[in-house]
Amino acid sequence: MITSITFNFAIAATIGSTGGTKSTASAESVETTADPGINSPSAILMEASTGQVIYEKNADEQLHPASITKIMTLILIFDAIDSGKIKLEDEVTVSEHAASMGGSQVFLEVGEVQTVQTMIKCISVASANDASVAMAEHIWGSEDTFVAKMNERAKELGMNNTNFVNCCGLDVDGHMTTARDIALMSRELITKYPQIHNYSTIWMDTITHVTKKGETEFELSNTNKLIKQYEWATGLKTGSTGLAKCCLSATALRNDIELVAVILAAPDSKTRFSDAITLLNYGYGLCSIYKDENPPVLEKVSINSGVKEDVTCKYLDVYKYLSLESFNASDVTSELQLLENIQAPINEGDVVGQLVYKLNGKEIGAVSIVASESIREAKFFDSFIKVIKNALMN
């Protein structure tokens, strides 16, 4: 059974978003009539907080991703930091395998030691293959094990057309993904770990190599020229190889709206950046984020057979809705739907209902309502004590 209460919340909603909060709004593509005119063969534009796709072109075609692969490498690095497996100040020793990487690199030497934070900077700014492999080995013991974890994480994110073979993106058979899958992992990185922008927005910096030969300074220069070319750019990752051609996952934040523009297989670097700017401007010209700042106040929800008769609850997140058309806030309503006959035990975080949003009567999304405490099932002794207390009170 579900109990429903309908609210009109014209005053409660606002336009704008702080980004980074996921909602249960639909993530299907939005149909638009205008064509932004993208020259690259594969591209996609996604709004980050909702996951809504605004534009796509051959977004599910499997292609070589080059160094855009490192977005997943960075996700696993930040996962390891978040779980306490590693710390930013931890020291990483470079192996012979890591030092042997070709392509883009910061020329780490065998036995050289750098901190995790420095390695992240090398990967984010200079797209360093050697730093990527060193971090893979540091976290999971070998690059092969790390890559297996990358593929597991990809499946969790719904990246169904992706297969990683290495952690840095060098051309190899079977190392493939799609523009849509890259957008999914880019969204995961910037919304779950927004601190990535502290690294991806660095234009130039230096690191210090300390080896048997002594100390030398090495200059890092950001491979993502949008950081200088586009006012609202916040990252994220470039890539280019012979098979992949020129690729880019570009992120930007403007008026509290965060967008992800992915460009794959561009014929040259100039095209990938100009296509990304075209997509970002296209998105910012169309969309606004509808955010419910003040949802209905939640009462306690009744439960059966528990040591308490009701449970406090909360909204799982803030509701956001991507709109490509103007609309009146008064046309949006919310309907509170709470489960009935809930049986104990209840664990903190268990779903007890949802707040469903409708625009002109059409459902546009929902936010889950979850228990904010755990309540165990009442045993015979609990019931006996309750009877005694009630008797004493009477």
Side-chain angles (χ1 to χ4, degrees):
M1 285 284 290
I2 294 178
T3 300
S4 299
I5 306 172
T6 302
F7 300 87
N8 181 290
F9 69 115
I11 299 176
T14 60
I15 297 296
S17 168
T18 56
T21 303
K22 298 178 184 177
S23 71
T24 52
S26 170
E28 296 179 359
S29 299
V30 175
E31 292 187 7
T32 56
T33 55
D35 185 350
I38 300 303
N39 296 308
S40 300
S42 179
I44 196 168
L45 179 66
M46 177 182 287
E47 193 281 315
S49 69
T50 62
Q52 189 81 57
V53 174
I54 302 168
Y55 170 85
E56 61 181 272
K57 176 183 179 182
N58 299 325
D60 295 313
E61 181 181 355
Q62 282 193 310
L63 296 165
H64 293 273
S67 285
I68 289 182
T69 298
K70 296 183 177 82
I71 294 172
M72 183 58 77
T73 300
L74 287 164
I75 289 174
L76 263 63
I77 292 172
F78 282 105
D79 281 347
I81 294 171
D82 188 53
S83 69
K85 188 177 179 71
I86 62 172
K87 297 182 176 65
L88 286 173
E89 60 271 20
D90 287 352
E91 293 184 335
V92 180
T93 302
V94 180
S95 71
E96 184 174 352
H97 175 55
S100 71
M101 290 297 107
S104 56
Q105 56 186 308
V106 291
F107 301 98
L108 298 170
E109 294 190 17
V110 178
E112 182 176 344
V113 176
Q114 296 286 356
T115 65
V116 168
Q117 178 150 280
T118 298
M119 292 295 197
I120 294 173
K121 188 188 302 182
C122 292
I123 297 168
S124 303
V125 178
S127 192
N129 294 335
D130 44 4
S132 298
V133 174
M135 283 303 304
E137 294 175 334
H138 179 72
I139 296 171
W140 285 107
S142 72
E143 184 181 8
D144 287 344
T145 303
F146 187 88
V147 170
K149 298 295 182 181
M150 291 172 67
N151 285 315
E152 287 178 15
R153 196 70 160 83
K155 293 300 182 187
E156 291 173 3
L157 293 175
M159 297 169 59
N160 298 322
N161 293 307
T162 293
N163 182 64
F164 295 117
V165 179
N166 58 55
C167 68
C168 56
L170 290 171
D171 283 339
V172 63
D173 289 343
H175 189 86
M176 307 290 283
T177 188
T178 66
R180 190 183 312 279
D181 286 358
I182 290 170
L184 288 172
M185 69 175 177
S186 299
R187 180 195 182 208
E188 175 73 359
L189 179 57
I190 64 176
T191 57
K192 187 169 185 179
Y193 303 116
Q195 62 267 39
I196 184 59
H197 296 312
N198 296 334
Y199 303 93
S200 63
T201 54
I202 295 172
W203 180 240
M204 297 191 74
D205 206 338
T206 59
I207 64 168
T208 302
H209 289 298
V210 181
T211 66
K212 294 178 181 179
K213 302 175 184 177
E215 292 188 11
T216 57
E217 295 292 312
F218 184 84
E219 187 175 274
L220 305 179
S221 180
N222 203 317
T223 58
N224 183 5
K225 306 311 176 188
L226 284 192
I227 300 301
K228 283 291 185 180
Q229 295 177 5
Y230 194 67
E231 181 179 359
W232 300 284
T234 59
L236 182 64
K237 194 71 200 71
T238 61
S240 60
T241 63
L243 294 179
K245 298 184 181 178
C246 293
C247 309
L248 173 66
S249 179
T251 58
L253 181 66
R254 179 184 178 188
N255 296 331
D256 292 328
I257 298 173
E258 193 165 28
L259 298 180
V260 178
V262 178
I263 304 294
L264 292 184
D268 51 61
S269 186
K270 182 179 179 180
T271 300
R272 71 176 167 184
F273 290 127
S274 63
D275 276 353
I277 291 174
T278 297
L279 267 188
L280 292 170
N281 285 339
Y282 175 74
Y284 284 123
L286 282 176
C287 68
S288 59
I289 302 298
Y290 189 84
K291 182 178 179 181
D292 185 6
E293 295 278 16
N294 298 294
V297 176
L298 293 173
E299 303 291 341
K300 292 184 177 181
V301 176
S302 298
I303 60 172
N304 300 320
S305 306
V307 294
K308 294 174 62 176
E309 295 181 349
D310 46 38
V311 60
T312 57
C313 51
K314 63 183 179 181
Y315 294 105
L316 184 60
D317 49 33
V318 175
Y319 176 72
K320 296 175 183 177
Y321 170 64
L322 175 67
S323 174
L324 302 185
E325 300 176 350
S326 60
F327 63 90
N328 295 321
S330 59
D331 294 331
V332 180
T333 59
S334 63
E335 182 179 293
L336 190 63
Q337 298 181 347
L338 299 175
L339 297 176
E340 293 184 343
N341 298 319
I342 301 174
Q343 299 292 322
I346 297 292
N347 295 316
E348 183 178 352
D350 284 353
V351 175
V352 296
Q354 62 178 351
L355 186 63
V356 177
Y357 292 82
K358 296 181 180 181
L359 175 60
N360 294 319
K362 180 181 179 182
E363 186 172 327
I364 56 174
V367 172
S368 294
I369 298 167
V370 299
S372 54
E373 60 179 327
S374 296
I375 297 177
R376 62 183 177 83
E377 182 180 6
K379 304 299 183 182
F380 173 79
F381 183 74
D382 297 307
S383 300
F384 177 74
I385 293 298
K386 186 175 180 180
V387 170
I388 295 299
K389 285 183 178 180
N390 288 337
L392 292 173
M393 290 176 65
N394 293 329

